[in-house]
Amino acid sequence: MERNTNQRRAIKKAIEDSGRPMTPLEVLESAQALAPGIGIATIYRALKSLAEEKWLVTVELPGEATRYELAGKAHHHHFCCRQCKKVFEMADCHETFRSIVPEGFKLESHEIILYGLCDKCAS
Ligand SMILES: [Zn+2]
Ligand SMILES: [Zn+2]
């Protein structure tokens, strides 16, 4: 029980500290520093239950592993670095695309994913 609590705390801290959506493998790498010996099966189980508790939400990008981020954030989009494969959060949505919706169409939702190189990979 004590061990489980510690591992769960490590997983939550890994996600809170990253500030971006993480894959289970990324959570594992980060959580290992706080909970040595933690395994990938524990990570998968914890992420699933944290999502069920609505503490996390899933982030799905086409052709990518499911990522997880903190629930309850304001509307935002993601930037996917094609080199390091990290996904970053963008704070804003300018919604300029509203002007390209054809006359008479009713826009209901949108998905925007930006691809490129993050600051580290671009330098
Ligand atoms: Zn990168
Ligand atoms: Zn948006």
Side-chain angles (χ1 to χ4, degrees):
M1 182 59 201
E2 181 53 41
R3 186 164 169 255
N4 284 343
T5 309
N6 186 40
Q7 291 185 336
R8 197 175 155 96
R9 196 180 298 135
I11 290 166
K12 287 174 111 170
K13 182 148 175 48
I15 291 161
E16 284 171 336
D17 287 354
S18 81
R20 59 180 189 79
M22 291 174 98
T23 62
L25 267 179
E26 288 176 323
V27 176
L28 176 67
E29 281 170 20
S30 178
Q32 272 170 339
L34 295 160
I38 194 168
I40 190 71
T42 304
I43 301 284
Y44 275 113
R45 263 199 313 274
L47 292 175
K48 190 165 177 282
S49 87
L50 288 167
E52 280 165 7
E53 293 162 27
K54 310 244 189 294
W55 191 82
L56 287 176
V57 290
T58 57
V59 175
E60 306 284 356
L61 273 64
E64 291 282 323
T66 298
R67 287 173 170 79
Y68 295 83
E69 69 179 5
L70 283 176
K73 291 179 187 247
H75 175 80
H76 65 278
H77 297 285
H78 296 107
F79 186 106
C80 184
C81 176
R82 64 177 166 78
Q83 193 154 306
C84 66
K85 296 290 180 191
K86 286 180 181 150
V87 172
F88 301 87
E89 185 180 320
M90 293 181 296
D92 249 332
C93 177
H94 294 293
E95 307 210 18
T96 46
F97 52 82
R98 285 185 184 282
S99 65
I100 61 174
V101 176
E103 184 77 38
F105 283 50
K106 187 176 176 293
L107 180 67
E108 292 183 332
S109 68
H110 63 271
E111 290 276 346
I112 299 172
I113 305 162
L114 302 187
Y115 294 92
L117 295 172
C118 71
D119 54 350
K120 285 204 179 73
C121 294
S123 65

